[in-house]
């Protein structure tokens, strides 16, 4: 399909695809097996300017948008979702600064992020605040020119490896969701440490850790936006990044299809390559059709965001739900097409299937995405009734 | 520090197939790549520039299409690119190639020249050392490691069949490099964008002031009779002493063998 990429977008896709093929595919199984953080690959991405894609040129980036970020994430995800999660979580953590940071904060942090010198993480989730983000219990108490943070964040991607953390904490619990604020916390700040590192089903090259704040003092300049804007920062950030989770879905699903086709062409049973059986062809046909439909939706939503649209929660949620549900189905079917071989670690599809599952859970479960879409539909319908 | 890296565009042998009827290579439609060893030379050039400052210029002799290889080198990080191209250069053997390239680098200026150990479509490993002879500068072939880098000179590890030598050399110098030296970096996005627009400087026979009789087919005495990999010689002697003493002993030895 021709998606009318510009020459620069084509270059970006070629380069990320080259990185995926040459630097990620050869090591992905080992990183998964050893649950090892991909330091070397992050260096390659930094050297190749991939961290700068979505950061404006005045802060050392390439000044591209959501669509280009999706192209890069898709290519990396074809090779390894663990690696692409590490990369995408960096963007997730950077959006609060990009969208709500002051000029000073942007100057201070964005150039190093664009150069890949400092990795970022986004910290919202806590033991009692999963889908119900308003359950955040971490507090930030004002103390003169400082805030003092106390509490524990859990399941934070890049926790421990990142240098910069954007953290949601309550500045005024009496105000409920309007009492949350967003902060930048740097690794090494006294009172900020890392707890348990999770053992996971998939995306095992990415690290997921606990963040512990114990009377952690941070300067007032580290507040993002104004006090009380914490949930707005978090929600706008997630609206931006969700389409990227859709792009992860496209990538892993396409990777699985490519493997399944390669296998089906050479596996012979009943005297014929299994790809000659209609049952196999139909599975592959459905897989490819679903992925192409997902791609069209994800690309269209990313371009819609880049066009300067104001409210895109609904379509961003649609792209995430559709492409990631597709990814789960397609990776599962890829294992089926390959039979017992697909189930073995010798082939990459069992990892793709394990990895794909996270896409339906993080950055808002797919149930929550449907809630978002449903609420938007109700609001739109109400708007139409008022108009008439 | 002016660093010049000589590169060659070659057919991607991984993609070359064999015509089963004629048993010859099918070169049609095979993509061109930068000679793999030359990617290590480019990386070495960038590494030296990062340590010593200066600039990296990539140079190739070839048809106009060789511009693609130069642009790729720019996307990896080379500052400038020069294409030596002229009908008169067609049909060059290693001697004519080395003569032409050395004439070009002489007009361009250089401190360090880097070449890949050999090109995968010819495997002679002759062009680098021959260039150094034309330029009358020292060379070290098969460099597998930089032991020490300074503006005054380089200390390098030269990989040999039976071990390695540590060689110290002043600058200017020509080095040919092997895969063990480094891990070539990939292009960067900014590099790719720069490469698209980069000016490729073109030099012809007239521009480099070379002798027209010594380039191209006319300047190529090589006649290929047989192609084989030479066997490693075992009957070897190592001469010790100061360079003067070694030279004197070498002349003695050669006289003894009636070579001179
Ligand atoms: C590997 C990994 C990495 C992560 N990285 C980060 C990170 O970097 N930063 C960060 O802040 N968080 C991160 N998270 C947290 C992630 O975003 C949450 O896990 C997710 O939002 C869901 O929350 P939960 O796991 O507590 O599930 P719960 O909220 O407990 O949900 C359990 C089930 O109930 C359903 N459910 C809950 N509420 C509703 C409802 N109202 N309607 C319908 N169904 C509902 C859910 O869909 C789900 O099926 C990560 C999680 C994982 C597993």
């Amino acid at each position: 399909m021709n998606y009318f990429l510009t020459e620069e977008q084509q270059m970006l896709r070629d380069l990320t695809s080259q990185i995926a093929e040459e630097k990620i595919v050869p090591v992905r199984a080992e990183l998964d097996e050893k649950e090892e953080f991909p330091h070397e690959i992050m260096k390659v991405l930094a050297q190749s300017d991939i961290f700068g894609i979505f950061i404006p040129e005045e802060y050392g980036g390439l000044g591209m948008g959501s669509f280009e970020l999706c192209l890069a994430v898709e290519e990396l995800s074809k090779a390894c979702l663990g690696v692409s999660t590490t990369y995408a979580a960096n963007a997730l953590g950077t959006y609060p600064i990009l969208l709500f940071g002051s000029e000073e904060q942007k100057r201070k942090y964005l150039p190093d992020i664009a150069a890949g010198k400092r990795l970022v993480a986004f910290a919202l989730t806590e033991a009692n605040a999963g889908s119900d983000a308003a359950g955040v219990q971490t507090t930030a108490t004002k103390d003169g020119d400082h805030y003092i943070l106390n509490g524990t964040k859990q399941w934070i991607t890049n926790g421990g490896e990142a240098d910069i953390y954007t953290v949601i904490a309550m500045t005024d619990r009496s105000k409920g969701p309007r009492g949350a604020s967003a902060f930048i916390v740097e690794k090494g700040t006294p009172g900020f440490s890392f707890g348990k590192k999770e053992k996971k089903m998939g995306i095992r090259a990415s690290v997921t850790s606990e963040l512990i704040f114990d009377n952690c003092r941070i300067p007032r300049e580290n507040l993002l936006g104004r006090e009380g804007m914490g949930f707005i920062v978090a929600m706008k950030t997630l609206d931006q990044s969700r389409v990227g989770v859709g792009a992860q879905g496209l990538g892993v699903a396409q990777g699985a299809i490519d493997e399944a086709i390669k296998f089906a062409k050479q596996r012979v049973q009943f005297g014929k390559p299994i790809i000659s059986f209609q049952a196999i062809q139909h599975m592959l046909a459905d897989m490819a059709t679903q992925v192409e439909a997902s791609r069209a939706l994800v690309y269209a939503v990313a371009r819609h965001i880049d066009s300067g649209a104001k409210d895109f929660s609904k379509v961003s949620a649609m792209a995430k739900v559709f492409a990631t549900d597709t990814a789960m189905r397609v990776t599962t079917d890829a294992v089926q097409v390959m039979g017992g071989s697909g189930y073995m670690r010798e082939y990459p599809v069992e990892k793709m299937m394990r990895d794909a599952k996270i896409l339906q859970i993080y950055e808002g479960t797919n149930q929550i995405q449907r809630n978002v879409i449903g609420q938007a539909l109700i609001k739109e319908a109400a708007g139409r009734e008022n108009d008439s | 520090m002016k660093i010049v890296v000589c590169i060659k565009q070659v057919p991607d042998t991984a993609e070359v197939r064999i015509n089963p009827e004629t048993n010859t290579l099918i070169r049609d439609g095979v993509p061109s790549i930068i000679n793999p060893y030359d990617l290590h030379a480019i990386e070495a050039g960038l590494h030296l520039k990062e340590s010593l400052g200066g600039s990296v210029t990539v140079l190739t002799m070839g048809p106009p299409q060789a511009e693609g290889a130069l642009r790729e080198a720019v996307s990896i990080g080379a500052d400038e690119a020069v294409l030596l191209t002229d009908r008169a250069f067609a049909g060059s053997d290693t001697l004519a190639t080395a003569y032409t390239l050395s004439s070009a680098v002489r007009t361009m200026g250089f401190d360090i020249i880097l070449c890949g150990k050999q090109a995968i479509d010819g495997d002679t490993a002759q062009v680098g050392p021959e260039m150094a002879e034309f330029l009358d500068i020292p060379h070290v072939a098969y460099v597998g490691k930089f032991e020490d880098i300074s503006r005054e000179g380089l200390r390098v590890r030269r990989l040999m069949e039976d071990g390695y030598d540590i060689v110290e050399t002043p600058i200017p110098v020509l080095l040919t490099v092997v895969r063990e030296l480094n891990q070539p970096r990939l292009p960067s996005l900014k590099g790719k964008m720069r490469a698209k627009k980069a000016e490729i400087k073109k030099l012809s026979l007239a521009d480099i002031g070379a002798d027209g009789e010594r380039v191209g087919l006319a300047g190529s005495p090589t006649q290929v009779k047989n192609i084989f990999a030479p066997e490693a010689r075992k009957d070897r002697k190592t001469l010790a002493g100061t360079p003067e003493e070694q030279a004197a002993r070498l002349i003695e030895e050669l006289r003894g063998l009636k070579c001179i």
Side-chain angles (χ1 to χ4, degrees):
Chain A
M1 275 274 279
N2 184 348
Y3 287 103
F4 304 100
L5 302 194
T6 63
E7 207 174 338
E8 287 189 351
Q9 289 162 349
Q10 193 61 52
M11 261 180 204
L12 165 66
R13 172 183 274 189
D14 291 347
L15 180 57
T16 39
S17 154
Q18 186 184 1
I19 293 170
E21 281 297 317
E22 293 180 18
K23 305 288 177 184
I24 303 178
V25 168
V27 297
R28 64 184 172 190
E30 190 186 342
L31 293 174
D32 175 63
E33 189 80 28
K34 294 189 181 159
E35 305 188 45
E36 196 177 298
F37 187 82
H39 286 113
E40 283 306 312
I41 297 168
M42 291 301 124
K43 269 189 221 150
V44 172
L45 293 176
Q47 209 165 40
S48 303
D49 302 325
I50 306 301
F51 281 107
I53 292 176
F54 65 108
I55 294 182
E57 282 173 289
E58 68 241 62
Y59 306 112
L62 286 148
M64 296 170 150
S66 209
F67 180 53
E68 288 84 357
L69 192 59
C70 282
L71 291 176
V73 166
E74 180 183 354
E75 291 305 321
L76 299 179
S77 304
K78 263 184 208 166
C80 177
L81 265 193
V83 170
S84 87
T85 292
T86 305
Y87 172 75
N90 176 79
L92 175 67
T94 305
Y95 275 124
I97 304 177
L98 211 50
L99 299 175
F100 295 94
S102 64
E103 187 54 31
E104 241 183 354
Q105 288 167 334
K106 288 181 186 173
R107 287 205 181 288
K108 181 168 178 194
Y109 295 106
L110 294 181
D112 278 356
I113 297 172
K117 283 187 194 148
R118 301 176 88 191
L119 193 70
V120 195
F122 176 75
L124 171 63
T125 304
E126 296 180 7
N128 294 316
S131 298
D132 182 10
V136 165
Q137 286 168 348
T138 295
T139 55
T141 318
K142 203 159 183 182
D143 179 30
D145 283 346
H146 287 79
Y147 285 96
I148 301 172
L149 268 62
N150 277 294
T152 301
K153 294 286 174 187
Q154 78 173 10
W155 302 345
I156 305 309
T157 303
N158 293 344
E161 294 291 344
D163 304 288
I164 301 165
Y165 296 78
T166 46
V167 179
I168 308 297
M170 304 305 292
T171 35
D172 188 348
R173 289 177 98 163
S174 68
K175 289 189 182 158
R178 284 167 209 272
S181 303
F183 298 94
I184 301 169
V185 185
E186 296 188 34
K187 185 178 179 173
T189 308
F192 177 26
S193 62
F194 305 103
K196 185 164 149 224
K197 186 179 148 184
E198 302 294 338
K199 289 192 167 290
K200 305 191 293 292
M201 171 191 209
I203 57 162
R204 290 162 50 152
S206 83
V207 62
T208 317
S209 305
E210 227 173 28
L211 313 185
I212 301 166
F213 301 100
D214 179 14
N215 285 320
C216 171
R217 278 172 79 85
I218 55 166
R220 203 177 59 180
E221 303 89 81
N222 288 18
L223 174 68
L224 277 162
R226 290 188 314 275
E227 260 190 40
M229 278 180 71
F231 281 119
I232 296 175
V233 172
M235 293 309 134
K236 293 280 172 203
T237 290
L238 291 166
D239 283 349
Q240 275 282 338
S241 69
R242 260 173 202 141
V243 67
V245 182
Q248 288 190 291
L250 295 183
V252 70
Q254 189 62 55
I257 292 178
D258 295 347
E259 290 294 334
I261 292 175
K262 195 164 74 186
F263 182 88
K265 277 171 71 178
Q266 50 91 18
R267 169 70 174 167
V268 174
Q269 286 292 275
F270 302 98
K272 288 182 199 156
I274 60 166
I275 201 164
S276 66
F277 302 133
Q278 197 181 48
I280 298 289
Q281 280 178 31
H282 281 190
M283 274 179 98
L284 291 171
D286 283 342
M287 290 155 75
T289 305
Q290 289 164 12
V291 171
E292 205 57 67
S294 301
R295 186 173 288 119
L297 178 60
V298 167
Y299 286 6
V301 169
R303 284 175 155 151
H304 173 70
I305 294 173
D306 290 340
S307 74
K310 285 260 160 346
D311 186 3
F312 42 80
S313 324
K314 181 186 77 176
V315 287
S316 187
M318 286 173 164
K320 196 241 175 192
V321 165
F322 194 75
T324 61
D325 282 352
T326 296
M328 193 67 244
R329 232 177 4 250
V330 167
T331 52
T332 307
D333 285 349
V335 172
Q336 192 65 25
V337 166
M338 294 174 61
S341 300
Y343 198 75
M344 300 300 165
R345 288 200 198 171
E346 230 175 290
Y347 290 90
V349 291
E350 62 81 26
K351 171 182 178 297
M352 292 172 172
M353 180 179 161
R354 281 187 283 119
D355 287 352
K357 187 66 209 170
I358 191 60
L359 303 177
Q360 295 177 303
I361 298 172
Y362 68 19
E363 294 198 33
T365 65
N366 282 7
Q367 286 73 32
I368 294 298
Q369 304 305 312
R370 288 179 168 89
N371 289 353
V372 169
I373 298 165
Q375 279 149 17
L377 294 177
I378 293 168
K379 214 166 109 189
E380 284 168 16
R384 277 197 300 275
E385 276 158 26
N386 290 342
D387 286 349
S388 57
Chain B
M1 199 61 56
K2 180 148 189 185
I3 301 158
V4 178
V5 185
C6 299
I7 67 172
K8 184 178 186 187
Q9 192 176 47
V10 296
D12 186 351
T13 47
E15 303 278 331
V16 173
R17 277 165 308 139
I18 295 184
N19 181 334
E21 275 157 30
T22 60
N23 258 332
T24 54
L25 297 182
I26 308 172
R27 288 199 179 211
D28 286 348
V30 174
S32 294
I33 55 169
I34 295 180
N35 177 44
Y37 294 104
D38 301 350
L39 289 174
H40 295 270
I42 295 170
E43 179 62 39
L46 297 173
H47 176 66
L48 289 171
K49 174 188 154 180
E50 279 154 14
S51 322
L52 301 173
S55 67
V56 174
T57 304
V58 279
L59 169 68
T60 192
M61 181 181 92
Q65 307 88 279
E67 201 181 306
L70 293 173
R71 288 198 190 274
E72 191 182 336
V74 171
S75 77
I76 296 169
D79 300 287
E80 282 169 49
V82 179
L83 175 62
L84 257 178
T85 191
D86 198 310
R87 291 232 164 135
F89 300 151
S92 296
D93 67 2
T94 58
L95 187 71
T97 302
Y99 170 73
T100 312
L101 286 171
S102 57
S103 305
V105 288
R106 202 180 282 120
T107 56
M108 290 157 54
F110 64 90
D111 294 300
I112 300 172
I113 301 172
L114 295 157
C115 300
K117 154 179 110 146
Q118 64 199 44
I120 55 166
D121 61 347
D123 284 333
T124 70
Q126 291 168 359
V127 170
E130 285 177 2
M131 277 180 76
E133 291 309 303
F134 280 121
L135 294 166
D136 201 17
I137 57 169
H139 83 267
V140 186
Y142 308 126
V143 171
K145 192 176 179 199
F146 288 116
E147 298 282 345
D148 189 44
I149 296 170
S150 79
R151 305 189 73 82
E152 287 69 48
L154 306 173
R155 190 140 54 102
V156 301
R157 190 180 282 210
R158 169 169 65 195
L159 301 195
M160 307 297 285
E161 269 144 357
D162 53 355
Y164 63 84
D165 304 330
I166 299 287
V167 184
E168 274 182 4
T169 168
I171 294 172
V173 63
L174 182 147
L175 309 177
T176 80
V177 310
V178 296
R179 287 180 199 274
E180 289 81 354
L181 179 61
N182 54 36
Q183 270 264 356
R185 69 191 70 181
L186 293 176
S188 71
L189 208 46
K190 286 180 190 168
K192 273 180 167 268
M193 290 177 186
R194 207 166 63 79
K196 205 180 77 186
K197 300 187 203 117
E199 187 212 346
I200 306 290
K201 194 167 164 193
K202 298 201 172 72
L203 295 178
S204 65
L205 176 63
D207 296 324
I208 58 171
D211 176 353
E213 294 298 304
R214 297 175 65 187
V215 302
L217 208 53
S220 299
T222 307
Q223 303 260 330
V224 179
K225 294 199 169 146
N226 184 15
I227 296 174
F228 63 97
E231 262 184 48
R233 298 275 299 269
K234 286 184 197 72
D235 48 343
R236 292 194 299 189
K237 258 187 209 168
T238 305
L239 306 178
T242 65
E244 289 78 14
E245 287 164 4
Q246 288 182 44
R249 296 226 18 221
L250 179 63
I251 289 170
E252 242 171 67
E253 293 278 342
L254 291 173
R255 284 215 173 101
L257 291 166
K258 301 217 176 344
C259 287
I260 53 173

